[in-house]
């Protein structure tokens, strides 16, 4: 029996084909583009934030700390005066109201601090030359840094030298304690000792003494200038008011007029 005939091909019918991979590639490209845009936005926001922080840091560094402290102090004074005026206008006791914010311990600490400041203020003021010398001596003793190791080393060397020369005498006290007595005063000096004339200080001690003398001389010259005024500068004023005005001008305009004034002094200005 012959096979059945095949149906004729229809030229209008399309065969089913698999979907091309272009859609997947486009989806991945769109995802990468979205991630890239997100990274760009993140980098832009980071740059803007860094610029703002840099500007704030520059502003903070350029601000004069003395000016900031002065403004804070003026603000504190203004707030204090405003609170005092409002309290007195309301008929209340300002000191009593302000004491509500302080504990007893804090109040006592504040009183002690004020007393200490007042004593220091009274001590700084000139009373007599003896008191002034005492203050200088106290300051020098506070700044003194003794070399205890060198002291002990020199002490043991002097004791050993005195023991070798036979200058140490062993004496028994009343309670039976044995002590060594320096007969010629080579280290433990007395009023009759002359051993200090053989002492030769080291270079560091000499330099420290010279530095202390220079520092004292600078302080003395500074105080003399404060009392008499700056005698080394040229006199360009006729009275104290004119002197203050000239100092204010120099503070603002000296950086612009230095070259001109130097040219006038050299005689090269035309």
């Amino acid at each position: 029996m012959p096979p059945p005939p095949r149906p004729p091909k229809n030229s209008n019918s399309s065969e089913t084909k698999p979907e091309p991979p272009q859609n997947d590639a486009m989806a991945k490209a769109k995802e990468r583009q979205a991630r890239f845009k997100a990274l760009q936005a993140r980098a832009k926001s980071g740059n803007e934030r860094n610029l703002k922080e840099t500007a704030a840091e520059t502003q903070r560094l350029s601000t004069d700390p003395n000016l900031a402290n002065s403004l804070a102090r003026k603000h504190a004074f203004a707030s204090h005066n405003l609170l005092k005026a409002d309290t007195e206008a309301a008929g209340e006791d300002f000191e009593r109201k302000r004491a509500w914010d302080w504990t007893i311990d804090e109040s006592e600490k504040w009183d002690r601090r004020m007393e200490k400041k007042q004593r220091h203020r009274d001590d700084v003021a000139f009373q007599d030359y003896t008191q002034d010398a005492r203050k200088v001596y106290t300051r020098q003793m506070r700044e003194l840094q003794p070399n205890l190791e060198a002291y002990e080393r020199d002490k043991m060397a002097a004791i050993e030298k005195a023991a070798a020369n036979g200058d140490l005498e062993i004496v028994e006290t009343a309670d039976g304690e044995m002590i060594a007595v320096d007969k010629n005063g080579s280290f433990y000096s007395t009023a009759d000792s002359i051993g200090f004339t053989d002492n030769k200080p080291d270079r560091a001690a000499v330099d420290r003494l010279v530095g202390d003398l220079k520092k004292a001389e600078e302080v003395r010259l500074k105080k003399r200038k404060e009392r008499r005024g700056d005698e080394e500068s040229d006199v360009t004023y006729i009275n104290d008011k004119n002197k203050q005005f000239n100092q204010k001008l120099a503070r603002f305009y000296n950086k612009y007029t230095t070259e001109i004034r130097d040219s006038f002094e050299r005689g090269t200005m035309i």
Side-chain angles (χ1 to χ4, degrees):
M1 183 176 182
R6 294 181 180 179
K9 292 183 178 181
N10 189 1
S11 59
N12 294 330
S13 63
S14 60
E15 298 179 355
T16 58
K17 299 179 181 180
E19 187 177 357
Q22 295 180 356
N23 295 335
D24 295 341
M26 291 178 61
K28 291 181 179 179
K30 289 181 179 180
E31 183 181 357
R32 286 196 297 267
Q33 187 177 5
R35 290 175 59 188
F36 180 69
K37 289 183 178 180
L39 290 175
Q40 283 184 330
R42 184 176 179 182
K44 183 178 179 181
S45 62
N47 291 335
E48 292 178 354
R49 186 168 61 254
N50 290 338
L51 287 176
K52 290 181 180 179
E53 293 178 358
T54 302
E57 182 69 14
T58 304
Q59 180 67 20
R60 186 184 66 82
L61 294 177
S62 62
T63 303
D64 188 6
N66 295 329
L67 180 61
N69 294 335
S70 177
L71 292 176
R73 188 163 53 250
K74 290 180 181 179
H75 182 270
F77 281 133
S79 302
H80 177 272
N81 294 333
L82 181 61
L83 179 61
K84 184 176 182 181
D86 294 341
T87 305
E88 292 178 353
E92 300 177 355
D93 188 0
F94 173 71
E95 295 296 336
R96 183 173 181 271
K97 183 177 181 180
R98 203 176 69 161
W100 292 348
D101 300 331
W102 298 85
T103 63
I104 297 178
D105 189 22
E106 292 173 342
S107 179
E108 291 178 352
K109 287 182 179 180
W110 178 261
D111 293 340
R112 289 194 297 268
R113 181 181 177 185
M114 291 297 102
E115 292 176 0
K116 183 178 180 181
K117 290 182 66 174
Q118 185 62 35
R119 289 196 304 269
H120 178 71
R121 195 179 295 112
D122 297 339
D123 188 62
V124 169
F126 179 80
Q127 300 176 3
D128 52 31
Y129 290 103
T130 303
Q131 189 74 2
D132 191 61
R134 182 192 64 81
K135 289 188 293 185
V136 173
Y137 174 78
T138 303
R139 185 183 68 250
Q140 291 177 348
M141 290 295 102
R142 186 170 59 249
E143 297 176 355
L144 180 63
Q145 296 180 357
N147 190 351
L148 299 179
E149 295 181 359
Y151 173 80
E152 292 294 336
R153 186 172 59 251
D154 295 341
K155 175 181 175 181
M156 294 305 300
I159 292 176
E160 291 175 359
K161 182 179 179 180
N165 296 334
D167 296 331
L168 288 181
E169 182 179 357
I170 305 300
V171 179
E172 183 178 0
T173 60
D175 55 357
E177 183 181 1
M178 306 297 291
I179 60 174
V181 178
D182 187 7
K183 293 189 298 183
N184 61 352
S186 59
F187 189 81
Y188 299 100
S189 301
T190 61
D192 300 329
S193 302
I194 59 174
F196 62 89
T197 57
D198 299 330
N199 183 33
K200 294 182 180 180
D202 56 355
R203 184 71 180 179
V206 175
D207 293 341
R208 186 169 62 251
L209 175 61
V210 173
D212 293 341
L213 293 177
K214 287 183 178 180
K215 184 177 179 180
E217 183 68 13
E218 291 175 357
V219 171
R220 187 181 65 83
L221 292 177
K222 182 180 179 180
K223 289 184 178 180
R224 188 176 68 177
K225 286 183 178 181
E226 290 177 355
R227 289 194 302 265
R228 300 182 181 180
D230 191 3
E231 300 176 355
E232 298 178 357
S233 60
D234 297 333
V235 178
T236 60
Y237 51 88
I238 57 177
N239 52 32
D240 293 338
K241 194 69 176 178
N242 182 240
K243 179 181 178 181
Q244 296 177 2
F245 181 74
N246 291 345
Q247 290 176 349
K248 186 180 296 184
L249 289 178
R251 185 165 60 251
F252 287 101
Y253 296 104
N254 265 1
K255 57 183 178 181
Y256 304 111
T257 61
T258 301
E259 184 177 356
I260 300 175
R261 288 186 284 105
D262 292 343
S263 299
F264 271 117
E265 292 178 0
R266 292 193 301 266
T268 57
M269 189 68 181
I270 299 177

